[in-house]
Amino acid sequence: GTIWFLTDNGNQNLVYDSLGVFLDGLAFHSKNDSIGFAYGDPINGVFMIYKTVNGGQEWNQIESNMI
C-alpha cells in the first residue's frame, strides 16, 4: 500500500510505501487534523495500522502490542 502527500502547491510526495499491505481506510482527528490513522487488512493475524502526527507528511506503523 502507498500513501501520498499532496502539498499546497500541488506537488505529490510518496510518504509511505509497503509491499503486501492493502490499505482500506484513512481518517484524521476532527479537532486536530495533524493526527491521522490509516489501516489495512491483517497480515498473519495482525492488523496494519499507521499513524501520522504531522498532517500526513510521515507515517509510522503502530506496533501490534499497542493496539
Side-chain angles (χ1 to χ4, degrees), residues 4-58:
W4 293 83
F5 181 79
L6 182 63
T7 64
D8 289 337
N9 64 2
N11 291 330
Q12 295 179 5
N13 298 319
L14 180 63
V15 293
Y16 190 84
D17 189 6
S18 179
L19 292 174
V21 174
F22 180 83
L23 296 174
D24 295 307
L26 182 70
F28 281 82
H29 194 284
S30 62
K31 295 183 180 179
N32 183 348
D33 61 3
S34 64
I35 299 173
F37 296 90
Y39 60 92
D41 291 340
I43 296 176
N44 296 324
V46 177
F47 279 94
M48 301 289 105
I49 300 178
Y50 306 89
K51 181 180 180 181
T52 182
V53 293
N54 58 9
Q57 296 179 48
E58 298 173 318

